Amino acid sequence: MNEKVSAWARSAQDQPWGLWWLQMRRLVRIEVRRNLLSRKAAWIYFLAYIPTGIILIHLLFETHPAFALSDDTNVLAGMVQFYYIRLGIFFGCLGIFSRLIRGEMIERSLHFYLLSPVRREILLLGKFAAGSISALLLFGSAIVADFALMYAGFGPAGQEYVFHGPGLGQLGAYLLIVVLGCLGYGAVFLLLSMMFRNPTPAAMLVLGWEAINPVLPSLLQKISVASYLRHLMPITVPGEGIFALLTVETEPVAAWVACVGLLTLIVVVLAYSCYRIRRLEIRYSTE
């Protein structure tokens, strides 16, 4: 047993980690630029910042008495809970990550990467990192802007709530949700883009699964991104009508357990994606 461990350790030390790191950094730089500066990304900017525009209009044209601060806090929590987690981040990651593999196959450019002296696992992980950075920059900055604009109109009362109350803690929780949501949905959609010629129908099935997940058995709830994210919400807003399905009371889970569970799911999906990309074949005649 010790000999096997020693052999594995020597094999790991002999790997060109420096070269792989250099290749990944350059790949990430190229892909991030393409993701953020492409005209095709305009609708993802719209998804990220449409709540920011709504809050800005509210700031400019509505009064902000101190007693309304709790109401606006609940509105912001509702935007994160019902819009960003369920729609904005979901479809934003679908647009970003489905283009990383399937988009290049459609554009007939992926083979340039596959023919280069880069391991396919490094290629996939580099694209995942680039997509994650792009999504985090868009949705993370949108959340910060939403938070700042929501409390800017309250003056001293808003400053007291943010800097001497629970405000900064809530912002940290929202940013953590954005980070884990982008990583989770990104890993899922990157895998789907390799498995299906058109990943959109499969993504709609994932969306349906996320919607009904709160009423499923606890074991099945673990195969879901949103099921972990809802345990990280600092404020839970009760849903009405169809949204009530998204706020079904489930067994409470500690924040660190939710984080570890979602990170484990991400690692499993990425590991299977690395397995899939090693066997990926391109047939442009059928694309």
Side-chain angles (χ1 to χ4, degrees):
M1 183 65 178
N2 292 334
E3 293 181 357
K4 292 182 178 180
V5 173
S6 300
W8 182 87
R10 287 194 299 269
S11 176
Q13 291 177 353
D14 293 338
Q15 301 301 320
W17 298 104
L19 175 62
W20 291 348
W21 176 243
L22 178 62
Q23 291 174 336
M24 183 174 293
R25 277 173 26 196
R26 292 181 176 177
L27 176 63
V28 168
R29 191 181 305 119
I30 294 171
E31 293 294 328
V32 168
R33 190 182 303 114
R34 292 177 58 186
N35 289 333
L36 295 180
L37 301 181
S38 170
R39 292 182 179 179
K40 296 179 180 179
W43 68 277
I44 302 176
Y45 280 86
F46 177 78
L47 284 176
Y49 290 103
I50 187 172
T52 309
I54 296 173
I55 296 174
L56 179 60
I57 294 173
H58 172 67
L59 173 65
L60 295 176
F61 298 101
E62 299 288 340
T63 58
H64 295 77
F67 63 82
L69 192 147
S70 60
D71 292 336
D72 281 14
T73 297
N74 289 333
V75 169
L76 180 61
M79 285 183 172
V80 176
Q81 181 178 339
F82 295 114
Y83 175 74
Y84 279 109
I85 293 179
R86 298 290 179 173
L87 297 175
I89 296 177
F90 183 94
F91 286 103
C93 288
L94 174 61
I96 291 173
F97 286 87
S98 62
R99 289 171 48 199
L100 296 178
I101 299 294
R102 182 58 55 181
E104 291 210 34
M105 294 178 70
I106 294 174
E107 295 173 359
R108 300 176 182 267
S109 59
L110 183 63
H111 65 280
F112 292 113
Y113 275 129
L114 298 182
L115 293 175
S116 62
V118 180
R119 288 182 63 95
R120 292 193 174 191
E121 294 88 345
I122 301 299
L123 172 63
L124 180 126
L125 294 177
K127 283 183 170 289
F128 174 75
S132 300
I133 292 172
S134 303
L136 291 176
L137 287 175
L138 288 176
F139 290 99
S141 61
I143 287 290
V144 172
D146 295 345
F147 186 87
L149 292 175
M150 185 63 79
Y151 295 105
F154 290 100
Q159 296 177 15
E160 179 69 21
Y161 182 84
V162 171
F163 296 106
H164 301 286
L168 289 181
Q170 293 170 5
L171 177 60
Y174 294 146
L175 290 176
L176 177 62
I177 288 171
V178 170
V179 170
L180 293 177
C182 290
L183 294 177
Y185 286 128
V188 170
F189 293 138
L190 187 61
L191 175 60
L192 293 180
S193 70
M194 291 188 293
M195 296 178 63
F196 302 100
R197 292 178 58 187
N198 182 5
T200 302
M204 295 302 99
L205 292 177
V206 174
L207 181 62
W209 175 265
E210 296 282 7
I212 66 172
N213 190 264
V215 300
L216 294 176
S218 58
L219 181 61
L220 295 179
Q221 289 182 11
K222 294 179 174 58
I223 314 175
S224 165
V225 175
S227 66
Y228 294 103
L229 298 181
R230 68 170 175 263
H231 294 295
L232 301 176
M233 284 293 299
I235 300 174
T236 301
V237 180
E240 298 180 359
I242 191 173
F243 291 104
L245 180 62
L246 307 179
T247 55
V248 174
E249 292 292 335
T250 57
E251 183 180 353
V253 174
W256 71 269
V257 175
C259 292
V260 172
L262 183 51
L263 289 174
T264 301
L265 178 64
I266 293 169
V267 170
V268 170
V269 174
L270 286 178
Y272 183 66
S273 298
C274 289
Y275 168 81
R276 292 279 307 193
I277 200 170
R278 292 183 65 179
R279 289 156 177 77
L280 180 67
E281 296 182 2
I282 302 179
R283 297 182 179 90
Y284 286 136
S285 59
T286 60
E287 293 297 329

